[in-house]
PDB file of all heavy atoms in Angstrom:
ATOM      1  N   PRO A  75     -10.892  17.461   6.125  1.00  0.00           N
ATOM      2  CA  PRO A  75     -10.129  16.295   6.559  1.00  0.00           C
ATOM      3  C   PRO A  75      -9.042  15.943   5.545  1.00  0.00           C
ATOM      4  O   PRO A  75      -9.187  16.218   4.336  1.00  0.00           O
ATOM      5  CB  PRO A  75     -11.163  15.177   6.645  1.00  0.00           C
ATOM      6  CG  PRO A  75     -12.369  15.667   5.943  1.00  0.00           C
ATOM      7  CD  PRO A  75     -12.258  17.139   5.736  1.00  0.00           C
ATOM      8  N   ILE A  76      -7.968  15.340   6.020  1.00  0.00           N
ATOM      9  CA  ILE A  76      -6.867  14.932   5.151  1.00  0.00           C
ATOM     10  C   ILE A  76      -7.374  14.025   4.020  1.00  0.00           C
ATOM     11  O   ILE A  76      -6.896  14.108   2.889  1.00  0.00           O
ATOM     12  CB  ILE A  76      -5.790  14.197   5.970  1.00  0.00           C
ATOM     13  CG1 ILE A  76      -5.311  15.062   7.136  1.00  0.00           C
ATOM     14  CG2 ILE A  76      -4.623  13.806   5.089  1.00  0.00           C
ATOM     15  CD1 ILE A  76      -4.529  16.261   6.747  1.00  0.00           C
ATOM     16  N   ALA A  77      -8.345  13.189   4.347  1.00  0.00           N
ATOM     17  CA  ALA A  77      -8.867  12.268   3.336  1.00  0.00           C
ATOM     18  C   ALA A  77      -9.373  13.021   2.104  1.00  0.00           C
ATOM     19  O   ALA A  77      -9.167  12.580   0.966  1.00  0.00           O
ATOM     20  CB  ALA A  77      -9.993  11.426   3.926  1.00  0.00           C
ATOM     21  N   ASP A  78     -10.019  14.165   2.314  1.00  0.00           N
ATOM     22  CA  ASP A  78     -10.536  14.943   1.179  1.00  0.00           C
ATOM     23  C   ASP A  78      -9.412  15.386   0.262  1.00  0.00           C
ATOM     24  O   ASP A  78      -9.531  15.340  -0.960  1.00  0.00           O
ATOM     25  CB  ASP A  78     -11.297  16.171   1.691  1.00  0.00           C
ATOM     26  CG  ASP A  78     -12.689  15.818   2.180  1.00  0.00           C
ATOM     27  OD1 ASP A  78     -12.957  14.613   2.351  1.00  0.00           O
ATOM     28  OD2 ASP A  78     -13.495  16.748   2.402  1.00  0.00           O
ATOM     29  N   VAL A  79      -8.326  15.839   0.847  1.00  0.00           N
ATOM     30  CA  VAL A  79      -7.195  16.324   0.054  1.00  0.00           C
ATOM     31  C   VAL A  79      -6.636  15.189  -0.795  1.00  0.00           C
ATOM     32  O   VAL A  79      -6.383  15.342  -1.999  1.00  0.00           O
ATOM     33  CB  VAL A  79      -6.101  16.907   0.965  1.00  0.00           C
ATOM     34  CG1 VAL A  79      -4.935  17.413   0.132  1.00  0.00           C
ATOM     35  CG2 VAL A  79      -6.672  18.015   1.834  1.00  0.00           C
ATOM     36  N   ILE A  80      -6.470  14.036  -0.178  1.00  0.00           N
ATOM     37  CA  ILE A  80      -5.896  12.897  -0.908  1.00  0.00           C
ATOM     38  C   ILE A  80      -6.825  12.449  -2.035  1.00  0.00           C
ATOM     39  O   ILE A  80      -6.376  12.194  -3.157  1.00  0.00           O
ATOM     40  CB  ILE A  80      -5.620  11.732   0.066  1.00  0.00           C
ATOM     41  CG1 ILE A  80      -4.566  12.159   1.096  1.00  0.00           C
ATOM     42  CG2 ILE A  80      -5.160  10.504  -0.687  1.00  0.00           C
ATOM     43  CD1 ILE A  80      -4.200  11.077   2.070  1.00  0.00           C
ATOM     44  N   ARG A  81      -8.106  12.389  -1.762  1.00  0.00           N
ATOM     45  CA  ARG A  81      -9.046  11.944  -2.795  1.00  0.00           C
ATOM     46  C   ARG A  81      -9.038  12.867  -3.989  1.00  0.00           C
ATOM     47  O   ARG A  81      -9.046  12.425  -5.136  1.00  0.00           O
ATOM     48  CB  ARG A  81     -10.466  11.881  -2.220  1.00  0.00           C
ATOM     49  CG  ARG A  81     -10.697  10.681  -1.345  1.00  0.00           C
ATOM     50  CD  ARG A  81     -12.175  10.331  -1.271  1.00  0.00           C
ATOM     51  NE  ARG A  81     -12.403   9.443  -0.128  1.00  0.00           N
ATOM     52  CZ  ARG A  81     -12.756   9.875   1.078  1.00  0.00           C
ATOM     53  NH1 ARG A  81     -12.919  11.163   1.294  1.00  0.00           N
ATOM     54  NH2 ARG A  81     -12.939   9.002   2.054  1.00  0.00           N
ATOM     55  N   VAL A  82      -9.031  14.171  -3.720  1.00  0.00           N
ATOM     56  CA  VAL A  82      -9.077  15.137  -4.815  1.00  0.00           C
ATOM     57  C   VAL A  82      -7.792  15.077  -5.647  1.00  0.00           C
ATOM     58  O   VAL A  82      -7.818  15.154  -6.873  1.00  0.00           O
ATOM     59  CB  VAL A  82      -9.294  16.559  -4.261  1.00  0.00           C
ATOM     60  CG1 VAL A  82      -8.898  17.601  -5.280  1.00  0.00           C
ATOM     61  CG2 VAL A  82     -10.745  16.740  -3.849  1.00  0.00           C
ATOM     62  N   ALA A  83      -6.664  14.884  -4.979  1.00  0.00           N
ATOM     63  CA  ALA A  83      -5.390  14.921  -5.703  1.00  0.00           C
ATOM     64  C   ALA A  83      -5.054  13.580  -6.330  1.00  0.00           C
ATOM     65  O   ALA A  83      -4.354  13.524  -7.347  1.00  0.00           O
ATOM     66  CB  ALA A  83      -4.264  15.341  -4.763  1.00  0.00           C
ATOM     67  N   ASP A  84      -5.554  12.502  -5.765  1.00  0.00           N
ATOM     68  CA  ASP A  84      -5.005  11.195  -6.128  1.00  0.00           C
ATOM     69  C   ASP A  84      -6.037  10.093  -6.290  1.00  0.00           C
ATOM     70  O   ASP A  84      -5.667   8.927  -6.404  1.00  0.00           O
ATOM     71  CB  ASP A  84      -4.008  10.785  -5.029  1.00  0.00           C
ATOM     72  CG  ASP A  84      -2.922   9.888  -5.558  1.00  0.00           C
ATOM     73  OD1 ASP A  84      -2.497  10.113  -6.685  1.00  0.00           O
ATOM     74  OD2 ASP A  84      -2.533   8.945  -4.849  1.00  0.00           O
ATOM     75  N   GLY A  85      -7.320  10.432  -6.255  1.00  0.00           N
ATOM     76  CA  GLY A  85      -8.339   9.397  -6.410  1.00  0.00           C
ATOM     77  C   GLY A  85      -8.649   8.676  -5.109  1.00  0.00           C
ATOM     78  O   GLY A  85      -8.280   9.151  -4.039  1.00  0.00           O
ATOM     79  N   PRO A  86      -9.354   7.545  -5.231  1.00  0.00           N
ATOM     80  CA  PRO A  86      -9.835   6.817  -4.058  1.00  0.00           C
ATOM     81  C   PRO A  86      -8.761   6.589  -3.005  1.00  0.00           C
ATOM     82  O   PRO A  86      -7.603   6.338  -3.338  1.00  0.00           O
ATOM     83  CB  PRO A  86     -10.292   5.483  -4.647  1.00  0.00           C
ATOM     84  CG  PRO A  86     -10.652   5.787  -6.055  1.00  0.00           C
ATOM     85  CD  PRO A  86      -9.751   6.910  -6.486  1.00  0.00           C
ATOM     86  N   LEU A  87      -9.149   6.666  -1.740  1.00  0.00           N
ATOM     87  CA  LEU A  87      -8.227   6.471  -0.622  1.00  0.00           C
ATOM     88  C   LEU A  87      -7.555   5.113  -0.684  1.00  0.00           C
ATOM     89  O   LEU A  87      -6.349   4.997  -0.528  1.00  0.00           O
ATOM     90  CB  LEU A  87      -9.006   6.558   0.694  1.00  0.00           C
ATOM     91  CG  LEU A  87      -8.963   7.816   1.510  1.00  0.00           C
ATOM     92  CD1 LEU A  87      -9.406   7.531   2.923  1.00  0.00           C
ATOM     93  CD2 LEU A  87      -7.567   8.396   1.506  1.00  0.00           C
ATOM     94  N   VAL A  88      -8.349   4.063  -0.896  1.00  0.00           N
ATOM     95  CA  VAL A  88      -7.838   2.696  -0.906  1.00  0.00           C
ATOM     96  C   VAL A  88      -8.395   1.982  -2.124  1.00  0.00           C
ATOM     97  O   VAL A  88      -9.590   2.054  -2.396  1.00  0.00           O
ATOM     98  CB  VAL A  88      -8.271   1.936   0.373  1.00  0.00           C
ATOM     99  CG1 VAL A  88      -7.928   0.463   0.262  1.00  0.00           C
ATOM    100  CG2 VAL A  88      -7.629   2.543   1.611  1.00  0.00           C
ATOM    101  N   SER A  89      -7.518   1.326  -2.880  1.00  0.00           N
ATOM    102  CA  SER A  89      -7.999   0.523  -4.000  1.00  0.00           C
ATOM    103  C   SER A  89      -7.168  -0.739  -4.131  1.00  0.00           C
ATOM    104  O   SER A  89      -6.006  -0.782  -3.728  1.00  0.00           O
ATOM    105  CB  SER A  89      -7.954   1.321  -5.301  1.00  0.00           C
ATOM    106  OG  SER A  89      -6.617   1.471  -5.722  1.00  0.00           O
ATOM    107  N   VAL A  90      -7.786  -1.775  -4.657  1.00  0.00           N
ATOM    108  CA  VAL A  90      -7.107  -3.042  -4.884  1.00  0.00           C
ATOM    109  C   VAL A  90      -7.024  -3.238  -6.400  1.00  0.00           C
ATOM    110  O   VAL A  90      -8.051  -3.291  -7.065  1.00  0.00           O
ATOM    111  CB  VAL A  90      -7.878  -4.214  -4.242  1.00  0.00           C
ATOM    112  CG1 VAL A  90      -7.189  -5.536  -4.520  1.00  0.00           C
ATOM    113  CG2 VAL A  90      -8.051  -3.989  -2.756  1.00  0.00           C
TER     114      VAL A  90
END
Side-chain angles (χ1 to χ4, degrees):
Chain A
I76 305 291
D78 282 13
V79 180
I80 297 182
R81 284 204 197 93
V82 161
D84 208 37
L87 259 198
V88 171
S89 73
V90 178

